[in-house]
Amino acid sequence: NGNSEDFLGINMIRLLVSSVSGLFFGFGLLISGMTDTAKVQGWLDILGQWDPTLAFVMGGAMIPMAAAWAIIAKKAPVFDLSFSMPSNKTIDFKLLSGSVLFGMGWALAGLCPGPAIAALGFGGNGIILFFVSMIVGMILTKPMRMGSISTADG
């Protein structure tokens, strides 16, 4: 398209910003303990040995994000033409059941996708098994959804 920042169809500035953001995110997960499955499971164990420290991690993430949203609410993004926002805002069975399944997986494994990726470098066989299972689940989602749609349609 003639843009000097593009190389082989890749916007290099956007790639750089995404990479730096990912590094900040990953280091934040490591430093905060979010990659420690016992720490996460301790946070979720409200009836046992509850560990409230991850509430500070969540607050530490939500406060600057809320401020950023307030600042940029009416502005365009710096490295793109527009913000990508979901068009579907419906709270339906798929959203609720998916949220419950995600929460169950998070509670059982003590990991969600971001920390699982960050923990791959040091987590051992359990993390690798979780990560592979997570990827298989992501890959199977679309064919399973397509199958349920075609079955429901007759």
Side-chain angles (χ1 to χ4, degrees):
N1 64 4
N3 188 343
S4 62
E5 291 131 5
D6 281 4
F7 178 73
L8 299 175
I10 299 170
N11 184 315
M12 298 308 286
I13 291 176
R14 187 173 182 175
L15 181 64
L16 176 65
V17 170
S18 296
S19 298
V20 170
S21 299
L23 285 172
F24 277 125
F25 179 71
F27 283 129
L29 291 173
L30 290 171
I31 292 168
S32 68
M34 289 289 284
T35 58
D36 180 359
T37 58
K39 188 100 161 134
V40 174
Q41 287 170 329
W43 158 255
L44 297 170
D45 186 13
I46 57 173
L47 299 177
Q49 297 294 317
W50 185 55
D51 180 357
T53 56
L54 288 186
F56 295 101
V57 173
M58 291 180 203
M62 291 188 306
I63 291 168
M65 193 64 234
W69 278 338
I71 292 167
I72 61 142
K74 302 287 185 210
K75 298 180 182 178
V78 176
F79 298 109
D80 210 340
L81 299 175
S82 64
F83 290 108
S84 298
M85 299 299 290
S87 58
N88 183 0
K89 296 180 179 8
T90 305
I91 298 175
D92 59 5
F93 178 76
K94 286 193 314 187
L95 176 65
L96 295 174
S97 60
S99 299
V100 167
L101 288 172
F102 178 89
M104 289 169 56
W106 189 38
L108 291 171
L111 288 169
C112 61
I117 293 168
L120 275 175
F122 63 85
N125 293 337
I127 300 294
I128 293 169
L129 178 62
F130 175 84
F131 183 78
V132 169
S133 300
M134 179 182 73
I135 296 298
V136 168
M138 289 176 175
I139 291 169
L140 292 176
T141 298
K142 187 172 183 177
M144 289 175 67
R145 191 175 294 153
M146 296 297 282
S148 66
I149 291 169
S150 64
T151 303
D153 291 341

